[in-house]
Amino acid sequence: ETGVTQTPRHLVMGMTNKKSLKCEQHLGHNAMYWYKQSAKKPLELMFVYNFKEQTENNSVPSRFSPECPNSSHLFLHLHTLQPEDSALYLCASSYRSGENTGELFFGEGSRLTVL
Amino acid sequence: GDSVTQMEGPVTLSEEAFLTINCTYTATGYPSLFWYVQYPGEGLQLLLKATKADDKGSNKGFEATYRKETTSFHLEKGSVQVSDSAVYFCALSGLTQGGSEKLVFGKGTKLTVNP
């Protein structure tokens, strides 16, 4: 039990579909992240939310749309994706304070396949 | 920008062998350094961390020492077990352009331990 729960664990979608990934953290953290993990590439930071406010969009295409309604929930809305978007999408959370060491807590990921 | 370079895998060892996975980094300032582990089908878990130069992080028999002079954070274990088979990621803490905390990851090193 990592304290960060992602659903669904697996998702297959066509290029014209609209779907959403959900992340929930039960750790009392105030920052949440989306990372993309593709084969043979470093983890790529996509979005960061601090206190529900988006503070980073790492040049992510607009077909990925994040939503953070409160500090415990994070969504990634998917629309008209491409096959190269197939990857493991990892949600993470952390607690920001004055002397933050940067430790992140990860969910188990949502494996996305775009046909 | 900040970056992490870790040795290419995969690494295959026999049980009870000595493990070293090299990691070097480039960063401005004095980041915290981390090793994360990802077991098959799971998200990333923090293995150990070090927050300042000469600190040694340790957990589950794994160790890594923050070496500022060589900008390195090599992971070692004296006697690996089959259950250590996983992908290991070196990471450093940094700041996004928006001033948020983030982790910068290496590409990961896959370790397989045979009985």
Side-chain angles (χ1 to χ4, degrees), chain B residues 49-63:
Chain B
K49 65 181 180 184
T51 58
K52 60 183 186 295
D54 300 324
D55 269 1
K56 177 186 284 188
S58 61
N59 185 26
K60 299 181 181 180
F62 290 90
E63 293 183 339

Side-chain angles (χ1 to χ4, degrees), chain A residues 74-115:
Chain A
L74 183 66
F75 295 88
L76 188 63
H77 303 301
L78 314 170
H79 178 49
T80 59
L81 295 191
Q82 304 298 311
E84 60 265 29
D85 297 322
S86 299
L88 182 69
Y89 289 85
L90 291 165
C91 175
S93 69
S94 69
Y95 186 76
R96 288 205 66 203
S97 64
E99 295 191 11
N100 196 313
T101 63
E103 181 177 347
L104 267 60
F105 293 77
F106 284 86
E108 293 184 321
S110 294
R111 172 71 62 186
L112 172 66
T113 303
V114 181
L115 302 177

Side-chain angles (χ1 to χ4, degrees), chain A residues 25-84:
Chain A
Q25 60 95 0
H26 313 276
L27 301 170
H29 289 167
N30 54 19
M32 297 187 77
Y33 308 74
W34 281 115
Y35 276 86
K36 177 183 179 182
Q37 185 178 25
S38 305
K40 302 189 189 305
K41 294 176 67 174
L43 275 79
E44 302 171 59
L45 178 65
M46 300 175 72
F47 301 104
V48 181
Y49 277 82
N50 287 320
F51 301 99
K52 303 184 297 177
E53 298 296 323
Q54 183 177 322
T55 58
E56 191 71 15
N57 176 340
N58 202 24
S59 302
V60 180
S62 59
R63 57 186 184 269
F64 295 92
S65 175
E67 179 189 0
C68 189
N70 54 61
S71 57
S72 298
H73 294 85
L74 183 66
F75 295 88
L76 188 63
H77 303 301
L78 314 170
H79 178 49
T80 59
L81 295 191
Q82 304 298 311
E84 60 265 29

Side-chain angles (χ1 to χ4, degrees), chain B residues 58-92:
Chain B
S58 61
N59 185 26
K60 299 181 181 180
F62 290 90
E63 293 183 339
T65 301
Y66 190 143
R67 300 287 187 198
K68 181 165 166 278
E69 63 277 10
T70 54
T71 61
S72 64
F73 193 56
H74 304 320
L75 182 68
E76 296 182 336
K77 185 173 185 180
S79 176
V80 293
Q81 305 300 312
V82 173
S83 57
D84 294 326
S85 298
V87 181
Y88 292 82
F89 294 89
C90 185
L92 63 80

